[in-house]
Amino acid sequence: MAATLTLGALLSACSTGERTTADRPDPSAASSTAATSVVHNDADVEFAQMMVLHHQGALDMAVLAEGRAQSEPVQDLAARIQFAQQPEIDLMTSWLLTWGERPVGADDAMGGMDHSGGATGMADEAQMQRLQDAGAGFDRLFLEMMIDHHAGAIAMSEAYRDRGQNEDALGLADAIIADQTAEIAEMERLLADL
């Protein structure tokens, strides 16, 4: 049933909580989404699988902020990242199941689907350990790593835009580009204030 969520419903769930008439799901749009959700290509599958892993990496970093982040703005940002990205993971997983494709999980990051480092901005085990052990330097390192991570998600989404077919997945890619670009600007301001 989660596959029938419209992008608007997903984004409204990840918003500040204020709902307008435009935020409310349109039942006719949901049935339209259900009808088109099976239309996909290999690029859609790759995007969903890789972005699930990428989002899981952001969640892993955000969880480390609990009890480690020194400033309230960094604590708040980490909580918002968790609040926004877990529903997106759930949505992409539901697409993969609807498409008859293999969903991915945290275990995949340890195996053949590992895409840490490089252009993805994913932190490897050593970087995650450095973040965990950062002590008073946690906020700065968290922001620097999350900026790289978000830049990777934006690059992945932009590369996918030219190859994808599924309208819902393409819409999510646009939302990731917009949301994470805004969060990068916020994190750069927070870094400047440290």
Side-chain angles (χ1 to χ4, degrees):
M1 300 303 151
T4 62
L5 286 176
T6 64
L7 182 60
L10 172 69
L11 294 177
S12 67
C14 297
S15 70
T16 59
E18 295 180 31
R19 295 180 61 96
T20 66
T21 304
D23 292 329
R24 293 190 190 102
D26 177 358
S28 64
S31 62
S32 169
T33 300
T36 62
S37 65
V38 294
V39 176
H40 69 283
N41 63 17
D42 290 344
D44 299 315
V45 173
E46 180 184 3
F47 171 75
Q49 288 176 332
M50 298 308 278
M51 196 58 74
V52 164
L53 290 177
H54 201 268
H55 274 21
Q56 187 59 53
L59 292 182
D60 292 346
M61 289 172 56
V63 166
L64 287 179
E66 296 172 11
R68 288 182 177 87
Q70 306 287 310
S71 73
E72 191 172 323
V74 172
Q75 293 169 11
D76 177 61
L77 173 69
R80 284 186 284 124
I81 288 169
Q82 290 180 66
F83 184 73
Q85 293 196 19
Q86 184 60 58
E88 290 177 356
I89 288 172
D90 297 341
L91 181 63
M92 289 182 284
T93 299
S94 73
W95 292 342
L96 290 165
L97 291 170
T98 298
W99 299 338
E101 301 290 345
R102 186 173 84 81
V104 295
D107 292 342
D108 291 303
M110 304 308 290
M113 295 192 75
D114 184 13
H115 68 300
S116 62
T120 67
M122 286 284 289
D124 61 24
E125 286 184 38
Q127 290 169 310
M128 290 297 289
Q129 190 63 52
R130 267 186 48 227
L131 182 61
Q132 185 173 340
D133 299 338
F138 180 89
D139 289 13
R140 177 170 298 282
L141 186 57
F142 174 82
L143 292 169
E144 290 170 349
M145 288 174 62
M146 194 61 79
I147 287 170
D148 287 345
H149 194 274
H150 275 23
I154 291 166
M156 290 167 62
S157 297
E158 288 173 341
Y160 160 70
R161 290 285 303 138
D162 295 333
R163 301 178 302 119
Q165 180 180 11
N166 183 273
E167 291 181 20
D168 295 329
L170 290 166
L172 180 59
D174 285 341
I176 288 169
I177 292 166
D179 294 346
Q180 296 198 16
T181 297
E183 286 182 351
I184 286 173
E186 177 184 357
M187 289 186 282
E188 288 172 342
R189 288 191 301 272
L190 291 174
L191 265 176
D193 291 341
L194 288 180

